[in-house]
Amino acid sequence: MENPKSENPMMRVSLLDAAGSVRLAECPIPVPGHGEVLVRVAAVGICGSDTHYFEHGRIGPFIVEEPLVLGHEASGRIVAVGAGVSDHRIGERISIEPQAPCRRCRQCKSGQYNLCPEMAFFATPPVDGAFAEYVVIGEDFAHTVPESISDAAAALIEPLSVGIWACQKGEVQAGSRVLVTGAGPIGVIAAQVARAFGASEVHITDVSAERLDVALLHGATHAHHAGDRLEGLDVDVFIDAAGAEAAIRSGISAVRPAGTVVLVGLGSDDVSIPVGLIRNREIKMTGVFRYANTWPLAIRLLAEDRIDLDSLVTDSFGLEDVEKALLSSRGAGKMKTIVLPGQ
Ligand code: NAD
Ligand code: ZN
């Protein structure tokens, strides 16, 4: 992405200066470089990682050292294009896939661009995100959406992509029996995707009864309290969207021989897992690091009403209220909070 040029017109952005400190500021509207488009941002979902940066000023090795624009779940409209991009794209409503891989490394060339070591990802220091009136993105990461998909849903294609990637990695298919631990937005979306992929049973667990109720309305067929014994469920696929050691351990105990474990949740980096059980049952295990090539499928599933993201929105705020939005997104009764920079 190009650096904004100082002679450009200005826009409003929300800046995180340090843990606990966000403010509205003005900065130049960025200029789309070769192969990029300028997007007027319509809606931005708040992710747990935004709240984490706000509360702690860092996630692992990524430390907020300069003022940072948060927000990476975004939609909007193309208002200008850089060199090499057709003018015809101006005016298109799009969902932003918030990543810029190098396109040259082994992972990029093999289609696993989410694993690119040179990745520039929105709202990950030092790369700015989308709590701004305008952003630039590579034109092939600006995915056209039909009018039937709302601005909020188009923004939430980002977490939907995490759910799609998790189900693809787990090879969820018609008739699959699936367990998801954690009924936060990612777990509930993964449950919906599993059903859209044809799963016949989707078990979900959480410590919060309120969240389990939401999950049962959106994809899950069975709900279990986090402490319940899951051994013997014999699911084909277990997706962890909680990140807690207890969730991962109990989930693995519920996987059938030759089943698959998909680790999505971010918790401690080192947890104790039942290696003997994984070995004796020949359980396959994979991580999920964001997603690759998921937007086209996400857009089709939404356009066909096979996934409902709009019902997951519990709050929305203007750009001047990002702090309130970040604080409001916490709590079991909340699912997705949306920031509307255009208002
Ligand atoms: P969230 O915090 O809203 O949801 C996590 C849920 O897990 C909560 O409802 C919590 O009550 C529940 N939980 C905690 N302990 C549990 C236990 N022992 N058993 C069952 N449930 C338990 O987060 P989210 O936005 O839904 O995201 C889910 C996880 O996925 C987070 O850890 C997030 O960081 C991670 N994530 C990973 C990727 C990736 O690319 N790997 C992308 C997005 C999010
Ligand atoms: Zn690369």
Side-chain angles (χ1 to χ4, degrees):
M1 253 169 259
E2 288 208 343
N3 279 329
K5 291 182 188 159
S6 54
E7 68 270 20
N8 287 331
M10 306 295 276
M11 66 171 180
R12 296 186 310 151
V13 299
S14 169
L15 287 179
L16 175 74
D17 286 318
S21 167
V22 287
R23 66 186 159 95
L24 204 56
E26 290 232 311
C27 82
I29 294 177
V31 176
H34 191 275
E36 291 179 335
V37 296
L38 178 68
V39 179
R40 172 139 179 96
V41 180
V44 192
I46 290 194
C47 165
S49 64
D50 297 314
T51 316
H52 199 279
Y53 277 120
F54 173 66
E55 287 176 344
H56 305 283
R58 65 181 296 165
I59 295 184
F62 294 101
I63 303 169
V64 179
E65 282 163 343
E66 301 282 326
L68 178 74
V69 181
L70 291 173
H72 62 268
E73 305 176 355
S75 65
R77 198 178 282 280
I78 295 176
V79 292
V81 297
V85 182
S86 163
D87 286 353
H88 289 109
R89 294 215 61 187
I90 294 173
E92 274 181 21
R93 282 183 72 237
I94 56 109
S95 171
I96 292 175
E97 179 176 349
Q99 44 189 355
C102 82
R103 301 171 187 264
R104 304 179 70 89
C105 71
R106 184 172 162 182
Q107 286 74 242
C108 283
K109 291 209 159 172
S110 63
Q112 298 161 313
Y113 59 86
N114 57 315
L115 302 177
C116 171
E118 304 295 323
M119 177 66 80
F121 195 87
F122 269 38
T124 304
V127 181
D128 281 333
F131 290 154
E133 288 181 299
Y134 297 90
V135 294
V136 293
I137 186 76
E139 85 147 325
D140 50 336
F141 288 80
H143 301 272
T144 311
V145 292
E147 288 300 324
S148 63
I149 298 178
S150 71
D151 288 339
L156 297 181
I157 288 176
E158 201 276 349
L160 172 55
S161 284
V162 177
I164 289 175
W165 194 235
C167 287
Q168 287 177 336
K169 299 287 279 189
E171 297 179 5
V172 175
Q173 54 190 274
S176 290
R177 298 178 65 248
V178 178
L179 166 67
V180 178
T181 51
I186 294 290
V188 170
I189 288 170
Q192 287 197 52
V193 175
R195 291 300 293 286
F197 279 23
S200 52
E201 277 178 38
V202 180
H203 296 258
I204 197 157
T205 71
D206 206 290
V207 294
S208 155
E210 214 172 344
R211 286 204 147 175
L212 289 176
D213 287 343
V214 174
L216 286 171
L217 289 174
H218 299 286
T221 57
H222 299 73
H224 307 265
H225 190 266
D228 292 354
R229 205 178 147 80
L230 302 174
E231 206 171 336
L233 263 187
D234 249 18
V235 294
D236 302 298
V237 185
F238 157 46
I239 297 171
D240 171 62
E245 179 170 326
I248 296 169
R249 289 183 64 87
S250 69
I252 291 173
S253 77
V255 178
R256 70 159 167 83
T260 306
V261 174
V262 183
L263 299 176
V264 183
L266 268 63
S268 314
D269 281 338
D270 294 296
V271 297
S272 156
I273 54 167
V275 174
L277 205 151
I278 294 168
R279 182 193 56 230
N280 295 349
R281 291 190 193 166
E282 294 193 356
I283 288 170
K284 299 177 285 287
M285 192 173 231
T286 177
V288 154
F289 189 67
R290 301 173 183 147
Y291 35 69
N293 300 306
T294 47
W295 258 254
L297 175 57
I299 291 167
R300 281 201 299 278
L301 291 176
L302 280 172
E304 291 168 10
D305 278 333
R306 290 163 71 192
I307 299 280
D308 173 14
L309 296 175
D310 289 300
S311 303
L312 301 183
V313 177
T314 40
D315 275 310
S316 54
F317 294 88
L319 196 57
E320 63 287 357
D321 284 326
V322 164
E323 179 165 351
K324 278 189 202 155
L326 288 162
L327 294 171
S328 107
S329 69
R330 301 181 304 189
K334 305 291 182 178
M335 285 305 263
K336 291 305 292 188
T337 299
I338 299 286
V339 171
L340 301 164
Q343 289 196 342

